[in-house]
Amino acid sequence: MVSGRRDETVGGAVPARVPGVAARASANELLAEIDRVGADRARGGYSRHVFTGAEGELREWFRGAARARGLTVEVDRNANLWAWFGAPGADAVVTGSHLDSVPGGGAYDGPLGVVSALAAFDLLRAEGFVPRRPLAIVVFAEEEGGRFGVPCLGSRLLTGTLEPERALALRDGDGTTFAEAARAAGHAPEHFGRDSETLGRIGTFVELHVEQGRGLIHLDAPLAVGSNIIPHGRWRFTFTGQGNHAGTTLMDDRHDPMLPAAQMITAVRESAAAVREARATVGRLVPTPGGTNVIASQVDVWLDARLPEPGNVHELVAEITEKARAAAELEGCAVAVREESYEGTAAFDPELRDRLRAMLGNAPVLPTGAGHDAAVLARFVPTAMLYVRNPTGISHAPEEFAEPADIDHGTAELAHVLRTLAG
Ligand code: GLV
Ligand code: MN
Ligand code: MN
């Protein structure tokens, strides 16, 4: 059975390709085509969550852009989009990234890897390139975990590193399950899960991404090759107490879960600051029911913790957990801790890294604290990453940026890499 569905079988209007005429654009022009999609007027930046209108619009845009270039578009069993330069096949050289975002994110995290892939294909086609290995662009679904909490759902499901039952039961802030949202977006969640046929086609994966830190600013270089991704994960701390009236409940009579939640947040900073190279963040706090005049009955605190080896991120989380338990007890509350996701060190293929480095004129090699689908893929196929300089050093925020000239440079270098690997 063919694992991918050809585009014709998936709903939505895709502009027909004019025979003999293929679209061509630079990565900067392609970014401009989508710069209004998912703009978040309340938060600033972009909110493009999986299976919402904005993300759906971006998927339609991608399919249209790919079809206009004569690429063969498929949707795999796990809602990842594929666009093939020629015939789909085994040992493919695959590039791409994701189109979903964090809440109020920047314009480049994800989309830069997609537009540079399309533009690199344009450069290759313009020079009459005929690949000897199949060549494809992939757009992974729900990389950020911005809607369902767990990141890299598309690549984890594809590789079988996440049980489909668990993914399908994940709920967004409104209580909608991943399965319900996927079905509403036209997918068949009963088919989600390890897809050996699609995975087996990937011979090499190269993801181009905006840099999310300051490495390239310090090195004064426009482009780097990735070395590894540090261990990182997400833990949900659920504090429960007694919901009650803010005006009639005396201070001594309260079991307010917001108190241990607040103490946990300061404990996170204290514990992480004491460990070299550790990063730990509470960026999401969800009180239930969440009323100004209501003592919460429950508070969910989402912890994001990361620590390079030989440090041990689980030890750091265990220390934070102890402090959270003590704080909960003092307030007469309870706390439950659940590991929502964890990814150990992702070491990119050293041979591929060195080849890319040589192709790119001895480009610098950088580790990163940011997670990517490439980390998931690296356990299964030779994988590499390219980072484009971000002059603000800021990411997951509207200030994320890449200079147009650096984007063009990164695109030309990506084309060079694809030409070399697939030629
Ligand atoms: C994704 O960008 C992450 O690092 O969480
Ligand atoms: Mn991101
Ligand atoms: Mn990303």
Side-chain angles (χ1 to χ4, degrees), residues 11-142:
V14 175
R17 181 185 170 219
V18 181
V21 180
R24 184 171 175 184
S26 71
N28 287 292
E29 287 165 340
L30 291 168
L31 272 179
E33 287 181 16
I34 55 172
D35 71 354
R36 301 175 74 85
V37 183
D40 190 326
R41 288 172 55 189
R43 300 181 176 102
Y46 295 93
S47 293
R48 297 161 162 172
H49 300 313
V50 71
F51 304 146
T52 61
E55 197 250 9
E57 202 176 320
L58 289 177
R59 283 171 165 266
E60 283 304 305
W61 167 83
F62 175 77
R63 288 159 62 185
R67 291 281 300 275
R69 286 165 170 75
L71 307 178
T72 303
V73 178
E74 291 181 347
V75 187
D76 72 21
R77 281 173 35 198
N78 293 293
N80 305 306
L81 282 166
W82 295 79
W84 294 86
F85 194 89
D91 195 32
V93 177
V94 178
T95 186
S97 193
H98 60 98
L99 290 169
D100 66 300
S101 77
V102 296
Y108 303 86
D109 176 355
L112 186 61
V114 176
V115 298
S116 59
L118 286 166
F121 275 26
D122 288 353
L123 294 175
L124 294 175
R125 198 181 47 245
E127 67 193 41
F129 177 68
V130 180
R132 291 157 65 100
R133 291 171 67 186
L135 196 51
I137 302 171
V138 61
V139 177
F140 285 113
E142 179 68 319

Side-chain angles (χ1 to χ4, degrees), residues 109 143-144 212 234 304 306 369-371 396:
D109 176 355
E143 191 270 354
E144 298 285 8
Q212 298 181 276
R234 298 180 181 187
D304 178 309
R306 312 185 187 210
H396 283 183

